[in-house]
Amino acid sequence: MMRRLFPAPLLSAALFIAWLLLNGAAPAQLALGAVLATAIPWLTEPVRVDRPRFSAWPTLVRLGFVVLFDIVVSNVRVARLILGPEARIDPRFVWVPLTIRDPHGIVALAGIITLTPGTLSSDLSDDRRHLLVHCLNAGDEALLIATIKQRYEAPLIRIFEGAR
Amino acid sequence: MNWPHLIVVPVLLPLAAGCLALLLEPRWPRAAARLSVAATLALLALAIHLVTIAANGAVIPYLLGNWRAPFGIALALDRLSALMLVLTAVVAVAAALYARGGGPKGTHDARGRHFHALFQFQLMGLNGAFLTADLFNLFVFFEVLLIASYGLLLHGGGAARLRASIHYVVFNLTASTLFLIAVALLYGLTGTLNMADLAQRVPIVAAQHPAQVQAAALILIVVFGVKAALLPLYFWLPDTYSAATAPAAALFAIMTKVGVYCIARVTTLIFGADAGGASDVAIPWLPVLAMATLVLATFGALAAGRLGLLVAYLVVSSAGTLLLAVGLGTAPTVGAALFYLINSTFVAAALFLLVDSIASSRGEARDTIAPAPLAHRAGYGALFFLLAAEAAGVPPFGGFLGKSLMLAASVDEPMAAAIWTVVLATGLGILVALARAGSVVFWQATDANRMQAAAARPSFTERAALAWLTIAIVATVLNAGPVSGYTEAAAAQLLQRGAYIEAVLGAEPVAPLWNPRAGDIKP
Amino acid sequence: MSLLNHVLPWGIAAIALAMLLALWRLLRGPTLPDRILALDTLYIDSIALLILIGMRFNTALFFEAALIIAMLGFVGTMALSKYLMRGDIIE
Amino acid sequence: MTLPLLAALPFIGALIVSLLPHHARRAAAWTSAAVALSACAILIVLAPQVFAGEVPRWSIQWVPALGLDFGFRLDGLAWLFALLICGIGALIVLYAAYYLDANDPGRRFFLFLLLFMGAMLGIVLADNLLLLVVFWEATSLSSFLLIGYWNHRQDARQSAHMALAITGGGGLALLGGVLLIGNIVGSFQVDAVLAAGDTIRASPLYVPTLVLVLLGAFTKSAQFPFHFWLPQAMAAPTPVSAYLHSATMVKAGVFLLARLYPALGHSEPWFWLVTLTGLATLLIGAYLAIFQHDLKGLLAYSTISHLGLIVLLFGLDQPLAIVAGVFHILNHATFKASLFMAAGIIDHETGSRDMRVLHSLRRSMPRTAALAIIASAAMAGVPLLNGFISKEMFFAEAAALERPGIMTWLLPLGAVAAGIFAVAYSARFIHDVFFNDAQNTRIPKAPHEPTRFMRAPVEVLVVICLAVGVAPAWTIGPVLAVAARATLGAPLPDYSLALWHGFNFPFFMSVVALAGGALLYFGLHRFTDMHRLIHGRRGGREMFAFVAARGLAGVRAVTAALQSGSLQQYLMLLVALAVAAGAWPFVRAGGFDWPTSAMTPVELPVAAIGLIGIAAALGTAIFHRHRLLAVTVLGAVGLVVSLLFVYLSAPDLALTQLLAEMATVILMMLALNWLPQESPPGRSDAKRAWHLALAAAAGVGIALFVFLTLIQPTESISSYFLATAVPLGGGSNVVNVILVDYRGFDTLGEITVLGVAAVTIAALLGNTRLPRSVEIQRPPATERNAHPLMLQIVARLLLPLVLLVTVHLLLRGHNLPGGGFIAGLVIALALILLSVAQGVEWVDARMKGRYLIWTATGMLLAAATGIGSWAVAHPFLTSTYTYLMVPWIGAVPLASAALFDLGVFLTTVGAVMVMLTSLGRLSQTRKGAV
Amino acid sequence: MEALLAIFVGVLAGTGVYLLLRAHTFDVVLGLTLLSYAANVTIFSMGRIAVAKPPIIQPGLAPTLANYADPLPHALVLTAIVISFAMTALLLVIALAARAATGSDHVDDEPSRGRAQDAG
Amino acid sequence: MTTTFLLDLVSSALVIVGVFFTLVGSIGLVKLSDFMKRLHCPTKASTLGVGCVLIASMIDFSLAGETSLHELLISLFIFITAPVSAHLMVKAALRDDPNIPRP
Ligand code: NA
Ligand code: NA
């Protein structure tokens, strides 16, 4: 019953929260938010083809903080690079081999890589086994790959593929 | 006036019919078409009813949304707008009927998609433009009728129509932008959009900033000049009108009249003799340009190589004639112009339809003015002869009466000699052009017997459409007395703007049934 | 009165400067992706600008504009980039 | 009621004939004859009244505004002309029934003939000058049809044109003249006009009036220099020539002179204009007639000359001359009609009308010869025939004219010369056709006498010529008296209709004319080869053709130059005119007052934003040839405009502008798929300079205008909206309340525009398969994957969130920025995003995209919401709102305007989706096609 | 501010007119877009300049033009934006359909027709 | 040294930081010499730049008494969409760059 009412419970929850963020938590808005949290997933049902499965919630939260921290740190680093002499910049493309298979996980990884300044996920190989990353200042390529895999990919694997 | 909401129905009826036609068409195209024809007939009945109401001489306002003018949008029905509604409906009935006819290639309306929806939306735009008393709302209805006309012009497809439509669309979009700018400037100066209110405020503002108000007024007239086919703004028109399918072209015959209507409306109501520093901005430019239009349109008619083009030039020439009379701005000239307007509209529409019928009876030659076989020569020839005489302003038809009225009315004008020379000489030019074209098409028709077998007789609805317009023309001439009396009264009403202003601005909203507005709950 | 009220005009000015710099790149190019990038930057900068203006004028009325830029502002970037990479955007 | 019946008879006949079967020639002829004879009978019944000096009248109002009544009157002049029209008409019908070939469409002939007869009767009977003009032009039109009757012949068509151009044009001039008369007199009633002669002559408009009326009369009556159409009109069948172009239609011009003589005559301009025109026509026509080789040509020029004579008589402005003129109208009609019919018989029986071919016909067709000779003699003015008497009267008037100066000798001399010429061509007609046995050309057909009925009309007319010539006072006296009296509008002068007035000067002139004419012809015949003489080749006809051809070429050149088919040129004119319209009042006012009032200080961010906007707009123009680049830069302009809206307090506008801009960019990208990536460089620098100048003028103009307006204080109606939006409109977002309530009608129109755009796009692209031949230049697709994974997942993730925001925007619209259109665009953009990410087929399969239904439903919903207020007797679109108290939740606002906004929303989503997916689907068809 | 706004409108209109007068459909579309911006900003500015006064009625702030921007031009511009969006869409579609049908994106008929056929 | 003042200070600092990073992003956009380098710039603005400003705004509005949290939604949307933009721009720029080795 609940499954049929809420085909995507996580989405419903997200929508409900988002509604309250937009409109505040007055009683009328709570009611309306509930209605929308029910109706929208139902309406968009045809569009959800392969649904992500989340698990390992603590990992998710921890990853969130790690990413935020990395964003701040790399922002500062990159700002220095930009404002300094350009010769210090040594950009390079690096193919990062992927262990993660879940497409949502891959996209999340690519997003995180892009959001942390200094690295850009540029391409995904056709077999989805390699991610092309552009580094503003690559330094040690192997280290970069290792950092990515350890800091972001591993938690993402747990989050998206933990249930398997 | 038994039911007060009748005034808005000429806008809503086509809107609803258009939407329903859209919904019906995918599954039940015939039902959509029938609905459209029925709605058009209903519109005619309604328009006739409204004319009888307007004939009493009162300006009847309608406050949309129950907001007092100038705050809400008001509609106003006076003799002129009612007349325009009837003209539109009469032409629309013919166009709708004709669209249901057609040769072996299928009916006209089936040569593209959504004909009837577009047709109805065009009617909505036209009727709205004639009824509204609000300048910006007029812009909106201009856009409605224009965008529908783009669709109708493209109906049936083909490279020629696409090319013509590029010119048409771009030119009119530019004009629409200008319209917006003119409205903006007027609003910036006066702080209002309602035309009655503008009429009141313009003299006050013009006392301080005459040049600015005049400039805005002139830009506005330029915009209407595009629709009305005023020199040098009509050059897009002949190719466009002659490229459209017949029922669309017939309906287009009313479109130049929208421009004329708007010029007549604003030059009397807002920038008329009472407009203080902005009074009579259009004089003497408008009559002069109109005369030049008339001359060059006659040239075009003489030079035209296709019947459709020739008819399009006739539309331009009649617009020139109308603008000349409207531009003079006296009650007799405007009255004469309105009389002439009736017949010139019907004739242009009928000729567009007839030319299409003729073209489909001439095989490959279509409507080129060159010797070619022609089926059903006698009938076409007779009708063409009648309509050509009408168009050239030769007796005994309405064109003649209209021009006579106009000449008689302009005899005391300072430009009378020029006006008379131009009107009479261009009348001759058009007579010659039509005689040349007709004699080539009908007299030099070769090999008619072979065509006779090949070309189908025009279908019943096509003949009905032509007959309907012919009846309308003849009826106008036979009732020229009452009709000219009406147009004279319409002109008088137009020039006595006080009644219009008073009716629109003095209209009282209906008392609300309940008043939640007094409620104390904060939204 | 508050410190923020002194900071905001300068902040807005700085964002405006940032946008002018992006404009320079937009006009300068040299490649099309450069210009798309500049436009994208302009969009991002406008989010900041809208928020700062909202703070300065003490109104929440511009949030929706910022929200929509955040949500759909990349549509233009996406369309242009997709066009460059595929020669077509809806396939 | 007999009068309207008389006028209607021909038209009733025409109606009957038009209903007859195609080749029912005989029935058509009988009908026509019946019409003509009945009309004659009516005239005879009315004769006693008319001869007693009464004027029967009948009239009804037609166009009071114009002073145009539909009415008839029958005075002596009208009676005479009506009798001429009907009597000769009857004879012509009889003649034509035998003349026409079995292959000729007989029904059409008689139909046109009856129409003409009706028009002609209308002219003479009209009681209202405007009505006269109506019928006048009708004669031109029916004449056009009759001249072009054998329309397979090129000369017939050409002649018809020429006649129409000249007489139709004259008719328009006449219309002008008549309208002037009406303006002077205050009425078009014939009686009123005739009584107002002094007023008219005293008017400053007299001369223009006279000139216009005379133009009408002279063109119709083929007066010099408009005479040339008449010989050309001989391309018509001979009965037509006899009827229209000698006896009736051409007489309409002189009828008009007669009719308006009391009103327009008695003045110096009249005398000089009419007399000189008549004299010139008389001489030229008579002279040229001598040298025609075609029988009908000779008769046509003779007709011109005789019309000139009549005109001349009216011009002399003497009562006796008027009597002579009326008399000659009658005489000429009889002898000329009979001559034309004789010529037709000759043509019919010999197969030729060429005097260089014909000869000696007195032998083979003696009766016809006798008739023709008598009629020719009448034409020459031989005593004992009617032509002699009127000519004598003319000579008498010419000799008696008391005018100082040139006219004292010019007129008598001209009269005698014309007399000589007339005798000469009459002699030629008689001699060259019926005698001249020395000629030995072969006549195409073996000539013989025609059928009795074909000759009968000629016989009747010749008998009349004789009777009038021998006993004028008894036969024609009363008729002439009553007609002349009506013409003069005054008591008749003393005159005697006698054959012999003694050896006076006119008699001497007659003798000189007869002898001189005979001498001239036989002298020419003897001493020159007359058959080789060609005169009048460079005549008016050639002039007309030349002018027409040149005129047409010029007209075509002008039209081609104006209708160049160049949109650029058209737009330049539009922009230039708009700039001129905006600038002119300032130019006239001598500039504008530079503002002194305080301005709002510039804020730095606005300055920066404005700078970006200006630079980006210029960039768009500079880069426009690289389209993708231009679109990118244009995107910045759109962004700047919406930021400006934000800064200047228009959040709703900012949202709308932003979303519309995004959607527009998508549209442009989609369209660019099918268009070249670059515009070729312009070829003309001069033109670009013009464009730049115009653009600069437009820019400066609008900037100045905006500036001048902005610095003025304003008193806007908007304070009302602010004051009432919450209490009366139920919403605190005033812009939205305006959109859905105060000006909801605008919004209804606006969504209609959007919907119709979608409909048109769907109609245009719906089943378009872009043809294979179109090669689209596109950048190479280097990316292998059409749908990058990242985009797919993000787009799918965004959709529910966007939907949520959409609902948010829709619901809050009335109170806060948002509303149906904004919400609609948001959801549409999200769907487009999905289409880009996943492909249009993917989305279609899931959305079941019948978006047009959304559009139509949305429009219907908006309209229906408005209509709902009718139920409570309120105007369309009256909104209301209330609060529904829900336990626990509280007050839930329910506004009818929200329903309207929902309609806007549905329309927008549907329309935008139709537009974008129609374009997007083109790629699918391309995949299928290429 | 007034002058800045006026100059902005002027530049939009000028560039719009220049592009409008180009010979190829897409350029004309760009020109019309700029022109419609010019028109919209013109209308908008006719409510006079108001910074930080959105016409959204706040409780406690007297609803007069002194406290709020003139809302009417906003509503008009909104309508104008929608209409011009619709028109642009249609014109683009016509342009590409014409290109497909005739093989050229020149605004005129076959280039031989007018003398004024220069591109650019 | 009230909480209000502290929060004012914090939000002012956040505005300064956010604006700084936004500006740095744009400076890089102008200063750096090739596209791939420049592409790293807007991420400054979109992450820390806008992020700090949004937090400042949240604080500021909360100070004014109206809890304002939709800034979070703005951040969420930026975090979702910004990587896609960058990703697509790289792809657009790389469309004909043969120098990248395939894995
Ligand atoms: Na001979
Ligand atoms: Na309301």
Side-chain angles (χ1 to χ4, degrees), chain D residues 354-360 431-433 435-436 439 531:
Chain D
D354 193 335
M355 284 184 279
R356 291 167 299 188
V357 174
L358 302 170
H359 57 90
S360 318
H431 174 256
D432 217 351
V433 176
F435 298 90
N436 202 18
Q439 194 181 344
H531 289 173

Side-chain angles (χ1 to χ4, degrees), chain F residues 23-97:
Chain F
L23 197 53
V24 167
S26 287
I27 290 171
L29 197 63
V30 171
K31 190 187 158 196
L32 298 179
S33 61
D34 87 288
F35 175 75
M36 283 311 300
K37 288 183 198 163
R38 293 195 278 264
L39 192 52
H40 287 267
C41 298
T43 46
K44 309 281 105 31
S46 58
T47 55
L48 213 50
V50 176
C52 289
V53 170
L54 283 167
I55 297 169
S57 164
M58 277 158 72
I59 297 171
D60 188 37
F61 278 94
S62 303
L63 276 177
E66 26 186 317
T67 357
S68 165
L69 294 171
H70 37 194
E71 285 85 348
L72 286 179
L73 270 181
I74 296 180
S75 307
L76 174 71
F77 282 123
I78 292 181
F79 277 40
I80 293 176
T81 61
V84 185
S85 311
H87 187 69
L88 292 175
M89 281 188 278
V90 185
K91 279 174 171 279
L94 293 185
R95 65 188 158 133
D96 37 23
D97 187 349

Side-chain angles (χ1 to χ4, degrees), chain D residues 644-645 648 650 653, chain E residues 39-48 73-74 77:
Chain D
L644 208 63
F645 288 153
L648 299 179
L653 270 190
Chain E
N40 291 346
V41 178
T42 305
I43 306 174
F44 175 74
S45 64
M46 287 303 135
R48 306 302 190 267
H74 298 192
V77 175

Side-chain angles (χ1 to χ4, degrees), chain D residues 824-911:
Chain D
L825 268 184
V826 167
I827 191 79
L829 279 170
L831 287 173
I832 287 308
L833 176 61
L834 203 60
S835 306
V836 176
Q838 297 281 8
V840 72
E841 282 169 336
W842 191 94
V843 177
D844 271 358
R846 283 158 181 81
M847 294 294 299
K848 314 264 185 300
R850 302 288 295 274
Y851 301 112
L852 267 185
I853 293 178
W854 293 45
T855 309
T857 313
M859 290 194 276
L860 276 178
L861 179 62
T865 309
I867 289 173
S869 44
W870 289 351
V872 290
H874 275 56
F876 183 68
L877 279 177
T878 307
S879 77
T880 188
Y881 68 93
T882 187
Y883 292 90
L884 195 65
M885 297 306 290
V886 179
W888 186 68
I889 287 177
V892 175
L894 290 177
S896 64
L899 213 54
F900 182 82
D901 220 13
L902 186 65
V904 175
F905 169 75
L906 284 178
T907 310
T908 309
V909 181

Side-chain angles (χ1 to χ4, degrees), chain D residues 686-856:
Chain D
K687 198 156 82 181
R688 182 160 41 230
W690 270 111
H691 292 170
L692 276 171
L694 201 53
V700 170
I702 185 92
L704 272 175
F705 214 139
V706 167
F707 182 70
L708 288 176
T709 313
L710 269 183
I711 52 159
Q712 284 165 28
T714 175
E715 198 169 309
S716 162
I717 55 172
S718 292
S719 38
Y720 178 85
F721 302 128
L722 293 172
T724 58
V726 173
L728 299 183
S732 47
N733 181 356
V734 188
V735 175
N736 188 267
V737 179
I738 292 176
L739 282 175
V740 298
D741 199 337
Y742 299 105
R743 300 187 67 89
F745 206 49
D746 275 350
T747 309
L748 190 64
E750 162 206 318
I751 59 172
T752 308
V753 172
L754 196 59
V756 176
V759 170
T760 306
I761 290 174
L764 196 57
L765 297 183
N767 32 20
T768 302
R769 294 236 161 232
L770 294 188
R772 236 172 242 269
S773 59
V774 180
E775 191 186 304
I776 309 288
Q777 316 164 347
R778 303 187 310 144
T782 50
E783 170 67 34
R784 306 163 306 281
N785 194 348
H787 307 298
L789 178 69
M790 205 157 169
L791 188 57
Q792 285 186 39
I793 288 188
V794 164
R796 277 163 13 206
L797 175 65
L798 271 179
L799 188 67
L801 293 171
V802 170
L803 216 51
L804 189 81
V805 174
T806 305
V807 176
H808 167 72
L809 289 168
L810 184 61
L811 290 183
R812 76 203 294 264
H814 213 43
N815 291 312
L816 290 162
F821 180 72
I822 292 171
L825 268 184
V826 167
I827 191 79
L829 279 170
L831 287 173
I832 287 308
L833 176 61
L834 203 60
S835 306
V836 176
Q838 297 281 8
V840 72
E841 282 169 336
W842 191 94
V843 177
D844 271 358
R846 283 158 181 81
M847 294 294 299
K848 314 264 185 300
R850 302 288 295 274
Y851 301 112
L852 267 185
I853 293 178
W854 293 45
T855 309

Side-chain angles (χ1 to χ4, degrees), chain D residues 560-561 563-568 571-572 599-603 606-607 613-614 617-618 624 627 630-631 634 637-638 644-645 647-651 653 656-657 660-661 663-664 667-668 671-672 674-676 679-684 687-688 691-692 695 698-699 702-703 706-707 709-710 712-714 716 718 721-723 726 732-735 738-739 743 750 754 757 760-761 764-765 770-771 774-775 815 817 821 912 915 919 922, chain E residues 1-15 17-30 33-34 37-38 40-42 44-58 63-66 68-83 85-90 92-97 99-103 105-109 111 113-120:
Chain D
Q563 308 285 143
S564 60
S566 160
L567 180 64
Q568 283 173 305
L571 287 172
M572 269 181 85
M599 288 184 241
T600 324
V602 179
E603 306 211 3
V606 180
I614 290 168
L618 290 170
H624 77 270
R627 294 176 172 174
V631 173
L634 184 69
V637 184
L644 208 63
F645 288 153
Y647 208 90
L648 299 179
S649 318
L653 270 190
T656 312
Q657 170 64 43
E661 169 69 27
T664 307
L667 278 172
M668 286 180 171
L672 264 188
W674 301 95
L675 293 170
S679 307
R683 266 173 279 169
S684 158
K687 198 156 82 181
R688 182 160 41 230
H691 292 170
L692 276 171
I702 185 92
V706 167
F707 182 70
T709 313
L710 269 183
Q712 284 165 28
T714 175
S716 162
S718 292
F721 302 128
L722 293 172
V726 173
S732 47
N733 181 356
V734 188
V735 175
I738 292 176
L739 282 175
R743 300 187 67 89
E750 162 206 318
L754 196 59
T760 306
I761 290 174
L764 196 57
L765 297 183
L770 294 188
V774 180
E775 191 186 304
N815 291 312
F821 180 72
V912 178
M915 293 169 182
L919 274 169
L922 285 179
Chain E
M1 288 280 260
E2 282 83 357
L4 180 72
L5 215 51
I7 292 168
F8 186 42
V9 170
V11 171
L12 286 175
T15 50
V17 166
Y18 179 73
L19 288 181
L20 179 71
L21 296 174
R22 299 305 89 208
H24 295 272
T25 48
F26 196 81
D27 307 341
V28 173
V29 174
L30 294 176
T33 308
L34 284 171
Y37 287 159
N40 291 346
V41 178
T42 305
F44 175 74
S45 64
M46 287 303 135
R48 306 302 190 267
I49 288 167
V51 179
K53 295 175 185 168
I56 290 164
I57 306 296
Q58 311 287 331
T64 63
L65 281 170
Y68 298 96
D70 184 346
L72 187 52
H74 298 192
L76 303 186
V77 175
L78 248 158
T79 304
I81 289 175
V82 178
I83 288 174
F85 169 74
M87 295 290 177
T88 307
L90 182 57
L92 277 169
V93 170
I94 293 174
L96 75 85
R99 166 88 206 286
T102 63
D105 70 334
H106 198 280
V107 290
D108 300 331
D109 282 351
R113 172 150 174 205
R115 269 136 303 179
Q117 34 149 322
D118 290 309

Side-chain angles (χ1 to χ4, degrees), chain B residues 223-270:
Chain B
V223 173
F224 296 145
V226 172
K227 268 71 178 181
L230 180 69
L231 185 84
L233 307 172
Y234 73 81
F235 299 138
W236 55 273
L237 189 145
D239 282 333
T240 305
Y241 279 32
S242 62
T245 33
L251 201 54
F252 285 7
I254 202 90
M255 290 228 300
T256 51
K257 275 60 181 186
V258 182
V260 174
Y261 166 85
C262 291
I263 289 179
R265 182 66 81 193
V266 301
T267 55
T268 52
L269 180 61
I270 307 177

